[in-house]
Amino acid sequence: IDRFFGPASSQEEAACTGNHDTTGVASQFLSEMAKYQENKGVQVIGHTCKPWLLQAGIRRRANRTGYLSLPDTATRGRMLKLLLTCRNTLAVDDFRELGAKLEGHTPSDINCVVNDACMEPVREIQRATHFKTVSGTTDSDPNTTRDDLLAPCSPDDPRAVQINWTEKM
């Protein structure tokens, strides 16, 4: 629901800027809801993390509400482990500790944290001004060690070469 019917202020902004995409979706949704409320046996289920920010028309049509609590520490740790698909060296205890540190975060927040963490190596490579040749394995062939891999390094490193990430050495 949040994706289509965010804060009322964004709807007002859409009216001012002429961008009525979400306003049209909201009107259509409310129209369809009116049809379904006349039919017995049809349930429309929606989810929002911030019900207080929904448009009044949407809130009025939500005649039943339920509350799902935030995940507990163990669940947050399991979520991190399931979502963290990039290469990492975290142990089981690390996931527990991180789960404890994310108290008060929604599953969506945790997903954003994981995505951000997985992108950090990319940002590091993009920021780097110096690289050095290292040996290691690649994801495509973890059984073979290569000696021609590049890793970002400090400009003070004796093997540092000043290039950016788009150049070849």
Side-chain angles (χ1 to χ4, degrees):
I1 297 278
D2 294 336
R3 187 163 296 184
F4 296 110
F5 315 112
S9 61
S10 68
Q11 299 302 319
E12 293 163 6
E13 182 180 318
C16 294
T17 61
N19 181 1
H20 297 283
D21 292 340
T22 57
T23 305
V25 170
S27 298
Q28 181 66 33
F29 180 77
L30 292 173
S31 171
E32 296 297 324
M33 284 288 291
K35 292 178 193 175
Y36 285 121
Q37 285 180 337
E38 297 167 3
N39 298 327
K40 299 294 180 200
V42 175
Q43 289 186 345
V44 177
I45 300 173
H47 169 268
T48 180
C49 293
K50 300 175 182 176
W52 57 90
L53 294 179
L54 291 177
Q55 297 173 13
I58 302 292
R59 283 196 312 267
R60 279 194 301 272
R61 284 164 180 81
N63 54 1
R64 287 190 214 155
T65 58
Y67 175 74
L68 299 176
S69 62
L70 293 174
D72 61 14
T73 301
T75 303
R76 290 190 303 270
R78 284 193 302 274
M79 287 177 64
L80 287 166
K81 189 170 184 173
L82 288 171
L83 291 169
L84 195 59
T85 57
C86 58
R87 186 189 289 191
N88 68 78
T89 57
L90 297 173
V92 174
D93 289 339
D94 296 329
F95 286 108
R96 280 192 205 113
E97 183 180 338
L98 289 169
K101 289 182 177 185
L102 289 171
E103 184 174 351
H105 288 76
T106 67
S108 179
D109 296 335
I110 294 169
N111 190 35
C112 289
V113 167
V114 169
N115 288 338
D116 194 48
C118 287
M119 288 303 296
E120 186 55 33
V122 174
R123 288 190 290 271
E124 181 183 353
I125 288 170
Q126 290 174 331
R127 285 189 305 260
T129 58
H130 292 74
F131 290 82
K132 66 181 177 182
T133 305
V134 296
S135 61
T137 61
T138 63
D139 288 339
S140 60
D141 189 5
N143 298 322
T144 304
T145 301
R146 295 181 49 181
D147 295 325
D148 62 344
L149 303 175
L150 295 175
C153 65
S154 165
D156 299 333
D157 191 298
R159 298 184 305 157
V161 176
Q162 185 174 358
I163 58 172
N164 68 37
W165 69 278
T166 59
E167 297 175 38
K168 290 187 179 183
M169 239 169 96

